[in-house]
Amino acid sequence: MGHSDQGAQTPIPDRGWLLALPKAEVHVHLEGCLAPELVSSAARRAGAELPGDLEQGVHDLDSLLRTLDISCALIDTEAELIDIAYGFSRHEADSGVRYADVIVNPAHWPAWRGRLDSFVAALDAGFTAAETDGFTPVGICPSIGRDQSASEAVELVEWIVADQSERLVALSIDGNEEAAGRSSPRFADAFGRAAAAGFHRCVHAGESSGPEGVWDAIDLLGAERIDHGIRCVDDPALVAELARRGIALDVCPTSNVRLGVVSSLHDHPVEQLRAAGVRVSINTDDPFLLGTDIPAEMASVATTFSWGTDVVAEMARTSIDASFASAEVKRALQNELSAFLESPS
Ligand code: HPA
Ligand code: ZN
């Protein structure tokens, strides 16, 4: 393989440089960003018994999704949602993330069923307060679960379209594709409606599904970005298509190793995909639960594949460009990135 330590034109970046690097995060779930203290105090209040250290129980996609269900089910006050949103934005700022698209799947939050307005209003209040305090601006990508019905999906889209809040930027879909079977045909109508109303689309595919899941994401759901997407590597025609169309993959290295999607970081296809011309950004998926942040993710892959600062900077550029921030925000961030790269280190 070509990724021994030869060939790094620029030095492998250290954490200080990675922290300072202007970048966006585009694949992160709010459900995976609950502070452990907040979850345990919510459990205490509810008289619920938590199954030990929640993080310890996560070893595959199913156990991750179950863990998200357990913790989010405890959250039933607006004050907690405000706290979670504020804490997320602060965490992103602490990682040097200048803009984040956050995925929020209402199906994980049963206390808010039928009260989506209050749910999103509380999150919006938390994000607004955080941004006012100088932390990272956030766009919400409301998400459908792969196990939901077509009518639930359409209902969510109708709510998004009616809400008219600038906070909502895209329709997302997540959950377990393998367990759901081929489900994209069921959601094509919902995604078509979201697109027609001017919303962006990001789709989890090619994590627990193979290349066929990624083809469906593009062909049936109009995905502009693929969350994970890494199993595309098994279909050269798909890799070529993603590269040709510039559809970015929102890659989460630690998540893929932890959930057994790849057997080790060394075996992760991200380097092969990058070399094939596929646009890639580096993300955290569920950072509080997986104990990671963007600089740590970038450092692991850069070390594993001997990527210099030039390669990592290109991924930061992709993260900004592929984000659903407004054109003005994207332009400002690209300029910030260019200035950072030109400044003497
Ligand atoms: N895949 C699918 N659904 C998810 C994930 C993921 O990696 N993280 C949180 N929900
Ligand atoms: Zn994800």
Side-chain angles (χ1 to χ4, degrees), residues 8 10-23 94-96 293-304 306-313 340-341 345:
T10 50
I12 295 175
D14 60 23
R15 186 168 170 92
W17 188 90
L18 293 168
L19 270 172
L21 177 71
K23 56 199 167 290
D94 288 347
S95 310
D293 63 16
I294 296 262
E297 293 299 304
M298 286 178 158
S300 327
V301 275
T303 306
T304 302
S306 297
W307 289 346
T309 49
D310 54 347
V311 174
V312 177
F340 172 79
L341 295 172
S345 44

Side-chain angles (χ1 to χ4, degrees), residues 113-183:
R113 198 164 291 151
R115 293 196 292 149
L116 215 47
D117 287 332
S118 319
F119 179 67
V120 172
L123 295 179
D124 181 53
F127 291 135
T128 301
E131 198 177 336
T132 303
D133 289 349
F135 299 127
T136 300
V138 176
I140 297 179
C141 308
S143 200
I144 300 162
R146 283 277 176 189
D147 56 356
Q148 292 192 277
S149 68
S151 60
E152 286 171 317
V154 167
E155 202 180 304
L156 181 65
V157 173
E158 283 175 345
W159 179 82
I160 293 170
V161 173
D163 186 72
Q164 303 229 323
S165 154
E166 289 203 357
R167 184 69 67 190
L168 307 177
V169 294
L171 181 64
S172 156
I173 183 163
D174 60 10
N176 191 329
E177 298 161 86
E178 189 184 20
R182 189 185 180 206
S183 58

Side-chain angles (χ1 to χ4, degrees), residues 27 29 204 228 285:
H27 181 175
H29 301 259
H204 274 66
H228 300 299
D285 217 5

Side-chain angles (χ1 to χ4, degrees), residues 27 29 61 64-65 68 108 174-176 204 207 228 255 259 285-286:
H27 181 175
H29 301 259
L61 183 52
L64 169 81
L65 295 172
L68 301 181
H108 283 298
D174 60 10
N176 191 329
H204 274 66
E207 178 193 30
H228 300 299
S255 167
L259 305 187
D285 217 5
D286 298 283

Side-chain angles (χ1 to χ4, degrees), residues 39 91 135 144 219 224 232 243 254 274 290 317:
V39 175
H91 164 82
F135 299 127
I144 300 162
D219 292 340
E224 295 166 86
C232 72
T254 293
R274 181 195 74 78
L290 300 171
R317 204 168 278 295

